[in-house]
Amino acid sequence: MLKVGGIWVSPVEVENTLVGHPAVLEAAVVGKEDTDKLVKPKAYVVLKDTHTASAELEAELKSFVKDKIAPYKYPRWIEFVSELPKTATGKIQRFKLRQKESAG
């Protein structure tokens, strides 16, 4: 769970909403600190083969999430990736994405 603006946000809820968009194959959401040291959702998104990453698609995905669930839950950042880190059984390794955030 992420605490965003003093309210708990489920990363799974945001991920499920993103996957509901026709361009998204899979998504993972982790917390990232903004410039004020406040935690906000960041999404890592794998697109379906028929779609290409762009600033327009990023804005569309943010708007899509805002329209489907509470607006404060939308990911402030979206990073398009070719694949998500997974275990041998196919579970997304979110800790690797969090490590990437704390290192970067």
Side-chain angles (χ1 to χ4, degrees), residues 6-101:
I7 303 171
W8 289 106
V9 174
S10 166
V12 174
E13 180 184 12
V14 180
E15 292 166 2
N16 289 339
T17 304
L18 282 165
V19 171
H21 189 279
V24 178
L25 179 62
E26 48 184 4
V29 174
V30 297
K32 177 183 175 180
E33 287 187 348
D34 64 9
T35 55
D36 296 324
K37 301 288 185 199
L38 299 172
V39 175
K40 305 281 173 65
K42 177 176 181 176
Y44 290 87
V45 173
V46 178
L47 296 175
K48 293 180 180 171
D49 290 338
T50 55
H51 293 84
T52 306
S54 67
E56 292 80 17
L57 181 56
E58 180 179 352
E60 183 181 327
L61 290 173
K62 289 177 182 179
S63 178
F64 181 79
V65 173
K66 284 182 189 178
D67 290 345
K68 302 287 182 199
I69 58 177
Y72 67 88
K73 297 180 181 182
Y74 85 97
R76 303 319 190 269
W77 306 273
I78 295 178
E79 185 173 328
F80 296 105
V81 294
S82 58
E83 63 182 11
L84 296 172
K86 295 182 182 173
T87 65
T89 58
K91 184 176 178 187
I92 296 171
Q93 295 176 315
R94 287 174 184 78
F95 75 93
K96 288 190 176 182
L97 298 174
R98 285 191 292 270
Q99 286 173 345
K100 184 176 175 181
E101 284 312 311

